[in-house]
Amino acid sequence: MKALFIGGTGTISSAITRQLAESGCELYLLNRGNRNDELPAGVRIIQADINREEEVSRLIEGHSFDVVADFIAFEPAQLERDYRLFHGKTKQFIFISSASAYQKPLSDYRITEGTPLSNPYWAYSRNKIACEEYLMKQYREQGFPVTIVRPSHTYDERSIPLGVHGSKGAWQVARRMLDNKRVIIHGDGTSLWTLTHNSDFAKGFIGLMGNIHAIGESVHITSDESVTWNQIYEIIADALGVKLQAVHVSSEFLAACSQDDLRGSLLGDKANTVVFDNSKLKRLVPGFTATVRVDQGIKQTIRHILAHPEYQVEDPEFDLWCDKVIGALETAAKSVTE
């Protein structure tokens, strides 16, 4: 199989890249070369900015692919560019959408690929929906061989999966735990969430590559395991060897207090209970099973981050914000009871 990945070094795509390289796939990555140092042997690089369409068109001249996958497209204009570049040059085009595009609030917590797409809270999700609509139009009218993949919360060894963190990543929450400080959990922590390790996601994704039954289809790839946010934070604290000091704060209050896009990432995603029905994926990829249990995966991540200081990025601004939010709650409670 000859495949081209636009991106190929991110949280989701890096595990796919590794597994394909081990299988002997003729794999090309088209990216700017900023994160290619740790790529496995045998992966070919086309170094370019995908946004420079004329240059990319020249670099891929003479190539045709069994699969092209874009991991870094977020708006319809980027898919219009991809269509111009790859129409007639690939047997399958895979777009990485997002499970956050599913209806919010959900009418049924069990999500299938037939769940409506609608997210009034998050522009990111609405843009992904628009991308899907554009590609399916090209499939119906032009025969463009599209497969749409919807990941949910996928993580790897470089970042701790959390509900609330700052712009510099998840480490500051772990730092607060290690310092015996209180950490914020959105809502009451009892809503169900699905975490998928990127190595499991890769198995499902590779099973869709070159799969004639996946053309014209939308498929989500997630674990079958559901856990609460309270359990997730308890697992993190246990892996750090500390006792969790949790403060539960309503998602609406956190969104109102945040300068970042917590309205989208919380109200439009993580504040909702989500349980995925992976029956469609298992029909398309017989034998697919996510095997990395949440507690095992998170403990692997914690061990890796503790052993690699470069991932321990301090975020004093977020740390101060947490203290202010917790202090505001305490002040409000005191004012009511006095």
Side-chain angles (χ1 to χ4, degrees), residues 268-290:
D269 199 20
K270 297 182 179 70
N272 298 269
T273 280
V274 293
V275 177
F276 293 93
D277 181 338
N278 286 298
S279 300
K280 184 174 183 178
L281 174 64
K282 292 175 181 179
R283 287 196 304 271
L284 292 168
V285 186
F288 170 80
T289 303

Side-chain angles (χ1 to χ4, degrees), residues 45-79:
I45 302 298
I46 300 175
Q47 189 163 329
D49 183 342
I50 186 62
N51 296 304
R52 300 180 65 173
E53 185 175 337
E54 290 186 6
E55 179 186 0
V56 173
S57 180
R58 177 177 55 81
L59 290 171
I60 64 173
E61 187 176 353
H63 283 283
S64 61
F65 302 94
D66 296 302
V67 179
V68 172
D70 194 336
F71 292 88
I72 55 174
F74 304 97
E75 299 177 354
Q78 296 169 322
L79 276 304

Side-chain angles (χ1 to χ4, degrees), residues 173 176-177 181-185 233 244-247 326:
V173 176
R176 289 180 69 88
M177 290 185 183
K181 297 180 73 173
R182 290 173 291 179
V183 298
I184 293 171
I185 300 178
Y233 279 76
L244 177 64
Q245 307 288 338
V247 177
I326 294 169

Side-chain angles (χ1 to χ4, degrees), residues 193-299:
W193 193 242
T194 301
L195 294 174
T196 307
H197 196 271
N198 69 344
S199 62
D200 283 329
F201 182 93
K203 292 185 293 185
F205 187 92
I206 291 170
L208 295 174
M209 291 177 64
N211 187 331
I212 60 172
H213 303 293
I215 303 299
E217 298 288 348
S218 301
V219 190
H220 51 240
I221 303 174
T222 77
S223 170
D224 291 319
E225 182 182 14
S226 298
V227 291
T228 68
W229 282 105
N230 285 334
Q231 289 173 314
I232 292 169
Y233 279 76
E234 286 284 1
I235 290 167
I236 295 168
D238 183 61
L240 291 169
V242 298
K243 181 176 175 58
L244 177 64
Q245 307 288 338
V247 177
H248 293 94
V249 185
S250 82
S251 298
E252 290 83 359
F253 185 78
L254 290 171
C257 293
S258 173
Q259 293 181 348
D260 297 323
D261 190 17
L262 280 184
R263 173 177 166 80
S265 64
L266 279 182
L267 303 185
D269 199 20
K270 297 182 179 70
N272 298 269
T273 280
V274 293
V275 177
F276 293 93
D277 181 338
N278 286 298
S279 300
K280 184 174 183 178
L281 174 64
K282 292 175 181 179
R283 287 196 304 271
L284 292 168
V285 186
F288 170 80
T289 303
T291 58
V292 180
R293 210 172 62 204
V294 168
D295 59 324
Q296 296 169 337
I298 289 177
K299 287 175 182 178

Side-chain angles (χ1 to χ4, degrees), residues 74-77 79-80 83 95 97-98 101 115-119 125-142 144 146-148 150 216-218:
F74 304 97
E75 299 177 354
L79 276 304
E80 293 170 10
Y83 177 77
F95 168 57
S97 184
S98 171
T115 298
L117 304 182
S118 175
N119 193 327
S125 305
R126 294 193 297 274
N127 284 334
K128 289 287 192 179
I129 294 170
C131 288
E132 291 194 23
E133 290 172 343
Y134 169 78
L135 288 174
M136 291 308 296
K137 182 175 186 293
Q138 301 312 309
Y139 167 71
R140 290 190 298 268
E141 298 180 3
Q142 305 298 329
F144 192 48
V146 173
T147 298
I148 293 168
R150 298 177 185 141
E217 298 288 348
S218 301

Side-chain angles (χ1 to χ4, degrees), residues 282-329:
K282 292 175 181 179
R283 287 196 304 271
L284 292 168
V285 186
F288 170 80
T289 303
T291 58
V292 180
R293 210 172 62 204
V294 168
D295 59 324
Q296 296 169 337
I298 289 177
K299 287 175 182 178
Q300 291 172 9
T301 295
I302 295 293
R303 286 196 297 268
H304 187 82
I305 290 175
L306 291 177
H308 292 81
E310 64 269 26
Y311 298 125
Q312 300 172 23
V313 180
E314 301 285 342
D315 192 347
E317 184 177 349
F318 173 74
D319 199 52
L320 179 61
W321 179 83
C322 290
D323 291 337
K324 286 183 176 180
V325 169
I326 294 169
L329 286 177

Side-chain angles (χ1 to χ4, degrees), residues 108-120:
D108 189 323
Y109 74 96
R110 294 164 298 188
I111 297 175
T112 72
E113 285 80 1
T115 298
L117 304 182
S118 175
N119 193 327

